[in-house]
Amino acid sequence: MSVSNQSETLLLAAEVYTFLGYSVIPLLGDVSADNPKAPSIPWNDYKNHIAPVEELRQWFLHEGFQGIGIVTGRISNLVVLDFDDPELYQSFRI
C-alpha cells in the first residue's frame, strides 16, 4: 500500500500532539463530506489512556484516516470553549 504525503503529515502531527501529552484520535476528515469532524473509531477509551505510536501508525498510515481530533478534558489537560452564537461569546467576554 502506498502511503501519501498527507498520511505521513497527519502521523507526524499526531505524534507531536501525543508527545505534548494530548490524547489523539482519528477523525473521518475528507472521507465524510457530511461529517468530517466525526471520530473514525469508538473513542471512549481514549478519555483514559493515550494511544501508543503503533496505534497512530495504524490509523493514519494503514487505515488512512483523514483527520486528527484531540480528546479534551483531564486526559489532555485541555478545556475548549465553543461558542456557536457570537452574542454568547460577547456575553462571555464581558
Side-chain angles (χ1 to χ4, degrees), residues 32-92:
S32 173
D34 294 336
N35 204 1
K37 296 180 184 178
S40 301
I41 57 161
W43 63 276
N44 201 40
D45 288 344
Y46 299 96
K47 292 192 285 184
N48 300 311
H49 80 275
I50 294 175
V53 172
E54 297 80 26
E55 200 162 8
L56 300 176
R57 289 181 184 278
Q58 179 66 34
W59 291 338
F60 297 107
L61 295 183
H62 302 294
E63 295 181 36
F65 293 133
Q66 298 292 309
I68 293 177
I70 296 175
V71 179
T72 58
R74 183 168 291 153
I75 186 72
S76 297
N77 290 314
L78 184 65
V79 174
V80 174
L81 301 175
D82 183 11
F83 297 96
D84 294 325
D85 180 344
E87 289 179 25
L88 278 173
Y89 171 69
Q90 290 302 325
S91 295
F92 176 79

Side-chain angles (χ1 to χ4, degrees), residues 8-40:
E8 290 175 349
T9 301
L10 285 168
L11 174 60
L12 178 60
E15 290 173 337
V16 169
Y17 288 139
T18 298
F19 176 77
L20 293 172
Y22 298 136
S23 180
V24 173
I25 59 169
L27 304 179
L28 292 176
D30 293 341
V31 172
S32 173
D34 294 336
N35 204 1
K37 296 180 184 178
S40 301

